[in-house]
Amino acid sequence: MLFFEQLISGRDVMFKCLIRGVFLFVLTTQTVLGASTEAVYGDKAMISSRSTLASAAGIEIMAQGGNAVDGAVATAFALAVTYPSAGNIGGGGFAVIHFPDGRVLTQDHREKAPGTAHRDMYLDADGNEVKGLSRDTHLAAGVPGSVDGLLDLLERHGTKSRQEVLLPAIRLAKEGFVLDRYMARHINTVGKRLQDTPAAKKVFSMGDRLVEAGDVWQQPDLAVTLQRIHDKGRAGFYEGKTADLIVAEMKRGNGIITHEDLKNYRSVWREPVMTTYRGYDVWTMGPPSSAVLVLQILNMLEPYDVASMGYGAAELIHLMIEAERRSYADRAEHLGDPDFWDVPLEGLVSKEYALKRFADVDLEKASDSDDILAGYPAGKESMETTHFSVMDSNGMAVAFTTTLNSSYGSKLVVDGAGFLLNNEMDDFSVKPNTMNQFDLIGREANAIKPNKRMLSSMSPTIVSKDGKPVLVTGSPGGSTIITTTLQVILNVIDHGMPLHDAVSMPRFHHQWTPNRIIYERYAFSPDTQRILEALGHVGLMEWPYGRGIGDANSVMMKDGVLQGVKDPRAEGVAVGF
Ligand code: GLY
């Protein structure tokens, strides 16, 4: 091992940690392990995530005999340490799990509104939204769900102990890891407001100066919090010292999460939503996720010969935009927490509804979003989320998306506990037809109520064939999560792309309102743009932010071999063996 570390001396400790892990796996498994941003191949296990160290943490557990769920839980806890802008224990997420016998289950550990939350809590006396209240304050935090969800996932479907899967995360928080240039800059720029409160500054600085590339960044308070979870399970977070620290933090900042809210939080197992698409089964998260839109759009596209049209063809882009326009209009009207709102789910995913909903599409002309109202189905984020994909060779797969909502959530740290509070309350519709940070609007279905879960776009998705998982995918990116996930699926199934290309190719997005098409550079050639404009599409806008749309870290089983691809738009690696 020393030899390996000397070999890479001069490189960062992050890489050393990975190599240390890799070396151990090679020793224990006698197999060659790959770790790269190119496609990585393996026989037994594969994880693709936003953080090199988190992928390695999950693979460490799988190399010790753990299954895909063990790997996913270890990765998720490690992400809370190594990728704190989205990885978390103070937020929430969704997991879609494919079992070796072909069953698929989904787990919802989305945050909930606190017990004293109310519909108009972000409005002033005149009924106007108070800007920032649902995003930047203690009032923005929903009751965190990640810890309950991860522990329940592990207890029911993992094979390893809580102590084993938490160990890499505790080690990373306690011993620290070297910040690379990207991460140091991200903390200081995207996370600028982290310097505004003493509790966050304590975690996200090096005492009297900002963090810098090359610093060994330790998170001692977070290590102790993780150790309490290690020792006491959910009680180590939702009760006792951690709960006291959360409630004290709330009192300091006029937040409303109580001991009772924390004690009562429970994640929920829900039936997945599913549709067939060209001989494949596509499984994803039902409400309070709006991933059902991925299925609706696939249903609308299925009657068309997408493969012959070809990737990037204006006629296909036109069809996709029209399908997106209609499904996002449905989202605003029909989707919310199913425990509080009667979501017409069966109707929304039915092939009949898709045919009806798409019947008015004009192949020669764009529709106007103002003319597209919600349909009537039968039965009636900078943004920062993160997605990772895991698969083992036994047919178990996990698609997992987790978030604090904005980058670093509310930017508020629970003093003494070392973790960030989410600002997920902004995903509620704070006022009918008022845009949230992703320019999404909502209505009654997603209005705030005590203990209700806010609507999400997180779309962890598994595509299977004949009862075996083929593709695990999903993405961060607020409202663009849905269209990113869709495009990876179309690229694989319709365009026959290798996974690396399916994940890397330029993407675009439309969400009904605002009526505009955002696209990555190179997504549309100049003549494609001209054709789209001639069809009547408006608001073509090159994606203005950093590296692109989404971060679709995906895993695939092809010809009996596992493949992992880290989306090249951001850091991290796929690791497998
Ligand atoms: N917070 C982003 C989402 O759940 O859609």
Side-chain angles (χ1 to χ4, degrees):
M1 175 130 63
L2 201 60
F3 168 71
F4 259 75
E5 293 197 355
Q6 277 164 355
L7 254 185
I8 54 160
S9 65
R11 306 289 295 271
D12 64 32
V13 168
M14 199 155 138
F15 194 56
K16 277 189 187 168
C17 291
L18 174 67
I19 290 297
R20 186 189 296 160
V22 166
F23 188 68
L24 278 176
F25 311 146
V26 174
L27 273 186
T28 52
T29 62
Q30 299 295 306
T31 52
V32 177
L33 189 150
S36 166
T37 49
E38 294 299 312
V40 168
Y41 300 91
D43 297 319
K44 295 195 168 72
M46 186 64 65
I47 300 180
S48 177
S49 91
R50 176 65 173 72
S51 156
T52 303
L53 292 169
S55 294
I59 281 291
E60 182 178 330
I61 299 298
M62 292 178 82
Q64 291 161 11
N67 64 17
V69 165
D70 297 312
V73 174
T75 300
F77 275 121
L79 277 167
V81 182
T82 61
Y83 186 55
S85 57
N88 66 81
I89 54 173
F94 299 129
V96 177
I97 305 120
H98 187 289
F99 293 88
D101 62 6
R103 273 177 315 136
V104 178
L105 287 178
T106 67
Q107 195 221 39
D108 165 6
H109 53 270
R110 181 78 162 155
E111 302 89 331
K112 290 173 91 164
T116 54
H118 58 93
R119 186 193 162 96
D120 297 335
M121 62 189 278
Y122 301 115
L123 306 186
D124 64 19
D126 299 325
N128 298 319
E129 183 193 359
V130 182
K131 289 281 176 218
L133 209 52
S134 65
R135 285 178 213 167
D136 306 331
T137 70
H138 289 70
L139 270 184
V143 183
S146 291
V147 173
D148 184 82
L150 288 170
L151 295 181
D152 192 44
L153 196 56
L154 184 74
E155 267 164 38
R156 286 175 200 259
H157 302 297
T159 63
K160 296 289 179 187
S161 68
R162 179 175 83 228
Q163 289 78 6
E164 285 170 295
V165 299
L166 270 154
L167 221 50
I170 294 171
R171 192 176 64 216
L172 286 160
K174 205 183 207 149
E175 294 179 8
F177 59 94
V178 171
L179 291 176
D180 60 19
R181 277 163 46 123
Y182 169 79
M183 183 118 168
R185 198 178 57 224
H186 198 264
I187 289 172
N188 296 333
T189 54
V190 180
K192 197 162 166 242
R193 277 206 306 111
L194 293 165
Q195 306 303 318
D196 290 354
T197 57
K201 190 172 177 175
K202 188 166 78 179
V203 174
F204 291 96
S205 70
M206 301 300 276
D208 52 0
R209 66 164 173 85
L210 295 176
V211 296
E212 288 168 9
D215 285 338
V216 177
W217 187 44
Q218 296 168 309
Q219 299 171 77
D221 286 346
L222 179 57
V224 174
T225 302
L226 290 167
Q227 185 68 42
R228 276 194 291 271
I229 300 168
H230 169 282
D231 297 345
K232 298 185 176 150
R234 61 161 272 132
F237 185 86
Y238 293 96
E239 297 172 45
K241 177 86 176 164
T242 314
D244 290 347
L245 289 168
I246 295 171
V247 172
E249 184 62 43
M250 286 292 133
K251 291 208 169 115
R252 251 191 305 281
N254 299 320
I256 56 173
I257 295 176
T258 63
H259 277 108
E260 206 186 2
D261 290 329
L262 292 166
K263 201 166 171 190
N264 289 340
Y265 183 89
R266 287 287 181 286
S267 49
V268 192
W269 288 86
R270 301 190 188 275
E271 284 301 316
V273 285
M274 192 277 266
T275 193
T276 55
Y277 185 70
R278 305 196 201 285
Y280 292 87
D281 297 329
V282 185
W283 307 86
T284 194
M285 190 76 213
S289 165
S290 48
V292 64
L293 269 67
V294 177
L295 310 189
Q296 277 188 271
I297 299 168
L298 288 172
N299 285 341
M300 288 187 228
L301 294 177
E302 197 173 40
Y304 296 86
D305 191 351
V306 169
S308 298
M309 290 178 196
Y311 172 88
E315 60 175 334
L316 174 56
I317 294 165
H318 171 67
L319 279 179
M320 288 167 71
I321 289 168
E322 292 303 322
E324 288 163 12
R325 201 190 307 274
R326 284 156 180 77
S327 58
Y328 277 85
D330 284 358
R331 181 191 195 276
E333 184 69 22
H334 295 302
L335 296 187
D337 182 346
D339 298 338
F340 287 77
W341 183 260
D342 191 12
V343 179
L345 203 52
E346 238 177 82
L348 285 171
V349 286
S350 80
K351 300 276 184 197
E352 295 73 34
Y353 177 64
L355 271 178
K356 217 166 67 188
R357 189 84 176 99
F358 216 40
D360 65 348
V361 79
D362 185 338
L363 299 181
E364 306 296 331
K365 190 169 180 299
S367 41
D368 186 335
S369 288
D370 287 345
D371 299 334
I372 301 292
L373 304 176
Y376 289 94
K380 351 204 145 149
E381 274 89 340
S382 165
M383 46 197 82
E384 204 112 17
T385 294
T386 192
H387 172 85
F388 64 87
S389 300
V390 186
M391 211 191 291
D392 65 29
S393 54
N394 296 321
M396 191 175 237
V398 181
F400 194 104
T401 315
T402 186
T403 189
L404 291 163
N405 198 17
S406 304
S407 250
Y408 306 96
S410 60
K411 321 282 191 287
L412 298 166
V413 162
V414 175
D415 197 13
F419 65 87
L420 285 157
L421 289 165
N422 67 80
N423 61 349
E424 218 69 67
M425 293 294 283
D426 189 59
D427 270 349
F428 276 118
S429 172
V430 303
K431 188 180 170 186
N433 297 322
T434 299
M435 285 180 185
N436 72 3
Q437 70 165 320
F438 307 113
D439 293 345
L440 286 166
I441 63 168
R443 303 192 188 110
E444 201 52 40
N446 191 32
I448 304 171
K449 284 199 175 144
N451 302 313
K452 187 176 173 183
R453 288 176 160 93
M454 55 297 283
L455 187 58
S456 171
S457 299
M458 292 188 287
S459 308
T461 298
I462 298 178
V463 177
S464 66
K465 198 169 175 64
D466 305 325
K468 302 278 173 233
V470 174
L471 171 69
V472 187
T473 192
S475 180
S479 56
T480 68
I481 293 174
I482 290 161
T483 51
T484 294
T485 306
L486 170 80
Q487 287 168 92
V488 174
I489 295 172
L490 292 182
N491 286 349
V492 168
I493 296 182
D494 287 292
H495 302 309
M497 289 185 198
L499 187 61
H500 182 268
D501 294 351
V503 166
S504 309
M505 292 297 267
R507 298 195 267 255
F508 67 92
H509 170 78
H510 193 288
Q511 61 181 57
W512 168 57
T513 174
N515 187 6
R516 67 174 179 221
I517 307 166
I518 49 177
Y519 62 93
E520 291 182 333
R521 186 171 296 176
Y522 315 123
F524 300 158
S525 63
D527 65 331
T528 301
Q529 290 188 35
R530 277 194 296 275
I531 296 170
L532 290 171
E533 278 163 353
L535 285 166
H537 288 286
V538 293
L540 269 74
M541 184 180 125
E542 192 175 305
W543 180 249
Y545 307 111
R547 300 151 171 233
I549 302 174
D551 183 25
N553 307 319
S554 305
V555 167
M556 194 172 179
M557 174 67 93
K558 190 151 191 238
D559 303 327
V561 179
L562 289 164
Q563 285 182 35
V565 169
K566 172 70 200 69
D567 194 319
R569 289 166 181 79
E571 285 73 14
V573 289
V575 185
F577 67 90

